[in-house]
Amino acid sequence: MTRTSVLLAATFAAVACGTSGSALAQSKQGYWTQPAGADAVWKNSAGQCWRAGYWTPAMAIAECDPDLVPKPAPKPVAAPPPPPRVAPPPPPAPKPAAAPPKPKVLRITSTELFDFGKAVLTDRAKSKLDTEIVAKLGGFATVQFINVNGHTDRLGSPQYNQKLSEKRAEAVKAYLVSKGVDGSKIETYGFGKTLPVKSCPDQKDRKALIACLEPNRRVEVEVQGMPK
């Protein structure tokens, strides 16, 4: 008789003796265990556990059938923490706005432009206007306005001198326009004898008085615009 047969005979003998442990003999889910509550699985000489007739792979235990026991699910790997949020650098400070260029102003007072009692420009007067006004307009990127103010001396009536001062201002404007200056930018004004720059006492020699009053017979030109 083989060893296996002996073990089977012993097993059946234990069952036949009415051992109450028969109910316990299968407490390890389909494996035969020792009676009397020992709960130790019976094994053969090769160390293999004895399985009950109703054993299924779903009853496998690690002690007897470790390869059939479901492996525990691997622990979930924690996702790495997100990298720290780096605040974007602040936007660069806006550059200060460049200060707008200041207007350029050209003021010219020209005397010796007219003969006494006249409103016609002399050749000398035209040359002065070319040098003092026309040539300097090249320093302007744009011209906003040109004011031409005519003046007379005190000799003559107020009405006469007012008309004469206006004609002198218009004569200067006409000459500037002939040199290519935009006439729409030019405004003319006559002030007569109201704004003298030199006072001369009355004297018997009229020619001397006229010569003394010459600075009052003038034209003032004011140009305002943006420089280049």
Side-chain angles (χ1 to χ4, degrees):
M1 178 181 293
T2 64
R3 183 178 179 85
T4 301
S5 300
V6 172
L7 289 174
L8 286 174
T11 299
F12 291 132
V15 173
C17 291
T19 305
S20 62
S22 61
L24 298 175
Q26 299 166 10
S27 61
K28 283 209 171 178
Q29 302 178 349
Y31 295 91
W32 291 102
T33 58
Q34 296 179 8
D39 205 30
V41 178
W42 280 346
K43 297 180 182 180
N44 60 20
S45 59
Q48 296 173 330
C49 299
W50 286 93
R51 298 171 180 168
Y54 58 85
W55 180 92
T56 65
M59 298 177 181
I61 60 176
E63 178 184 355
C64 300
D65 296 289
D67 293 338
L68 300 179
V69 176
K71 300 295 187 294
K75 293 182 179 180
V77 179
R85 184 176 181 182
V86 179
K95 294 182 179 180
K102 295 182 178 180
K104 181 178 180 179
V105 178
L106 172 65
R107 291 185 179 90
I108 299 296
T109 299
S110 295
T111 59
E112 303 177 0
L113 297 183
F114 303 98
D115 293 332
F116 177 72
K118 304 294 183 180
V120 178
L121 289 170
T122 64
D123 291 339
R124 182 181 178 186
K126 294 176 181 179
S127 178
K128 290 187 69 174
L129 291 175
D130 290 340
T131 303
E132 297 177 354
I133 303 297
V134 178
K136 294 180 179 179
L137 289 177
F140 288 83
T142 58
V143 173
Q144 295 173 337
F145 65 82
I146 300 175
N147 288 340
V148 180
N149 304 324
H151 300 270
T152 67
D153 59 30
R154 63 180 174 83
L155 301 178
S157 69
Q159 295 82 1
Y160 171 80
N161 284 319
Q162 178 62 35
K163 291 289 186 182
L164 183 59
S165 65
E166 293 173 0
K167 289 180 180 180
R168 287 175 173 172
E170 288 292 339
V172 172
K173 174 181 177 179
Y175 182 75
L176 294 178
V177 171
S178 72
K179 290 293 183 175
V181 180
D182 184 358
S184 66
K185 303 285 187 179
I186 304 176
E187 295 290 340
T188 59
Y189 303 92
F191 291 91
K193 60 181 181 179
T194 59
L195 299 173
V197 294
K198 185 177 181 180
S199 297
C200 298
D202 291 333
Q203 48 188 299
K204 294 181 180 180
D205 189 344
R206 186 173 176 81
K207 289 184 178 180
L209 179 59
I210 292 174
C212 179
L213 293 172
E214 184 180 46
N216 295 329
R217 299 188 293 272
R218 69 195 188 277
V219 172
E220 297 170 344
V221 179
E222 179 182 4
V223 181
Q224 180 166 306
M226 301 309 294
K228 286 186 176 179

